[in-house]
Amino acid sequence: ALQWSAWEMAYYHLLAEGRVPYDTDEEAWFSWWTTMGYNNDNSTTALTTFLWNVMWVLAIPLYRDFHFYFAHRTIHYRALYKYVHSLHHRNIDIEPFAGLSMHPLEHVYYYSAVAVSLYFKMSPFVFHWNGWHLNLAPAAGHSGWEDHWQADQYHYLHHAKFECNYGGPQYCLDCVFGTFREKLGVSEEYK
C-alpha cells in the first residue's frame, strides 16, 4: 500500500536525522544476553530494554484492536461515512482484497497505528511488526464466512448490517460497548 510506504519512508527519514529515539537491534535483542550474569547497571538496562521491546511485540495485536475499533467506529459517523468510508462498504460480499480497498483518507487513520513508534523508544522491528499486522490482518478479517482459512461471520456481519462488529473478535470490544452481533437473523445480543 502506498500509505504504508509513506509511513516507512517518514519513519526511516526521522531515524536517520536522529529525531526519533530508537533501540538498535543490538540494544533491543542481544545486549541483555552478553551482559547476563554481570551484576551492574548495564545488565539491568539491557534486560529492561529487551523486555520493553518484547512487551511491545506481544502488545501490538491488542493495541491494534483498540486503535482499529475506535478509529473504525469514528469513521462510521455520518459525514465521514458518506464521503470516505462508504467506498469500503460498497462490497457486502467481502473477500481478502477488500480489506485494504478503501478511500485514501481512510488509510491515513488506519496506518496511523504505527505512530506509536514515533512516541516510544523501541526497535524498528516493532515498527515493522505493527506494519505487517496492519497489512495482513484485513485480508483475514475480510475472508467472508464460507469455508476459507480463518473465515468467520464477525466482519461479514459488519458489512451486511453496518452498525455492528466494528472491531475484531479477539478481544471483543464490541461486547464491551454493545455493538456485538452474533448472527445475520434476529440477534439476541444486538439490540
Side-chain angles (χ1 to χ4, degrees):
L2 182 61
Q3 292 225 0
W4 168 242
S5 297
W7 273 101
E8 277 185 306
M9 290 186 313
Y11 179 70
Y12 281 110
H13 180 75
L14 292 170
L15 288 182
E17 288 189 346
R19 294 184 182 186
V20 175
Y22 70 98
D23 296 323
T24 64
D25 286 339
E26 176 67 29
E27 293 169 332
W29 310 111
F30 304 113
S31 64
W32 70 275
W33 182 258
T34 59
T35 60
M36 207 165 85
Y38 299 103
N39 192 8
N40 60 36
D41 289 338
N42 288 343
S43 63
T44 304
T45 302
L47 184 59
T48 303
T49 301
F50 171 74
L51 292 175
W52 173 256
N53 282 281
V54 167
M55 183 274 308
W56 271 110
V57 166
L58 296 175
I60 286 297
L62 177 63
Y63 162 74
R64 279 255 311 107
D65 208 39
F66 274 92
H67 179 274
F68 180 71
Y69 178 84
F70 291 109
H72 191 194
R73 187 130 186 220
T74 300
I75 207 102
H76 270 263
Y77 289 125
R78 182 165 290 207
L80 291 172
Y81 182 82
K82 182 178 179 181
Y83 297 108
V84 178
H85 193 52
S86 62
L87 174 68
H88 178 73
H89 273 270
R90 285 185 186 163
N91 184 3
I92 59 168
D93 187 20
I94 56 175
E95 44 85 24
F97 293 107
L100 288 174
S101 175
M102 57 181 104
H103 193 280
L105 289 176
E106 198 169 348
H107 278 237
V108 172
Y109 91 81
Y110 182 72
Y111 283 110
S112 70
V114 297
V116 70
S117 296
L118 301 175
Y119 298 111
F120 297 105
K121 185 178 181 187
M122 59 182 72
S123 167
F125 174 80
V126 179
F127 172 83
H128 279 285
W129 172 244
N130 195 350
W132 296 327
H133 198 273
L134 281 162
N135 284 317
L136 295 175
H142 288 82
S143 63
W145 61 278
E146 299 85 16
D147 286 329
H148 298 300
W149 176 76
Q150 195 183 346
D152 61 13
Q153 284 191 40
Y154 198 86
H155 201 68
Y156 176 83
L157 288 171
H158 172 73
H159 278 259
K161 296 293 185 178
F162 176 72
E163 294 180 344
C164 62
N165 298 2
Y166 295 103
Q170 299 84 359
Y171 308 105
C172 202
L173 291 172
D174 290 296
C175 297
V176 174
F177 294 106
T179 55
F180 173 69
R181 185 181 192 108
E182 80 281 7
K183 60 185 176 180
L184 273 172
V186 178
S187 174
E188 296 170 12
E189 298 283 331
Y190 185 75
K191 305 295 183 220

